[in-house]
């Protein structure tokens, strides 16, 4: 998922303020974080905040794809990709045993 020639390619490492890092503010509301993870497991995507255009008119300050923006122009979050990869590894390991 890294191509230096593509500006929306995922970073090599999660950002220092990634929502997926332990103790992040996004994970403080456990119920809301569980909803987010459930949505991601159902096929949702999680975009890096550094790759989402700013939209001062939006309540959260960003123009996420759900707001009508093209997701192909946004960077997928490295923390999300790492979490997804670990989840797939666990699933594959469970299927082998």
């Amino acid at each position: 998922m890294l191509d230096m020639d593509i500006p929306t390619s995922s970073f090599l490492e999660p950002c220092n303020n990634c929502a997926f890092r332990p103790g992040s503010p996004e994970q403080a509301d456990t119920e809301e974080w569980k909803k987010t993870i459930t949505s991601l497991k159902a096929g949702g995507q999680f975009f890096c905040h550094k790759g989402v255009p700013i939209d001062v008119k939006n309540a959260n300050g960003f123009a996420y794809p759900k707001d009508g923006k093209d997701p192909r122009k946004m960077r997928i979050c490295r923390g999300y990709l790492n979490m997804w990869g670990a989840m797939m590894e666990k699933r594959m390991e469970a299927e082998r045993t």
Side-chain angles (χ1 to χ4, degrees), residues 33-44:
W33 186 247
K34 285 179 183 178
K35 288 179 191 175
T36 298
I37 297 300
T38 299
S39 169
L40 294 172
K41 287 181 178 179

Side-chain angles (χ1 to χ4, degrees), residues 53-74:
I54 294 174
D55 181 359
V56 294
K57 295 178 184 175
N58 193 324
N60 61 28
F62 293 99
Y64 288 102
K66 67 180 180 187
D67 300 327
K69 304 301 178 192
D70 186 350
R72 294 173 297 174
K73 295 182 178 181
M74 297 185 203

Side-chain angles (χ1 to χ4, degrees), residues 2-4 13 17-19 21 26-27 29 34 42 45-46 48 54 66 68 76-77 79 84 90 93 96:
L2 178 71
D3 185 338
M4 298 304 281
E13 297 291 329
N17 55 349
C18 181
R21 77 187 188 293
E26 292 84 359
Q27 294 182 38
D29 182 342
K34 285 179 183 178
Q45 292 180 314
F46 197 93
C48 178
I54 294 174
K66 67 180 180 187
I76 299 291
C77 174
W84 188 258
K90 286 180 185 177
E93 184 64 32
R96 283 181 252 180

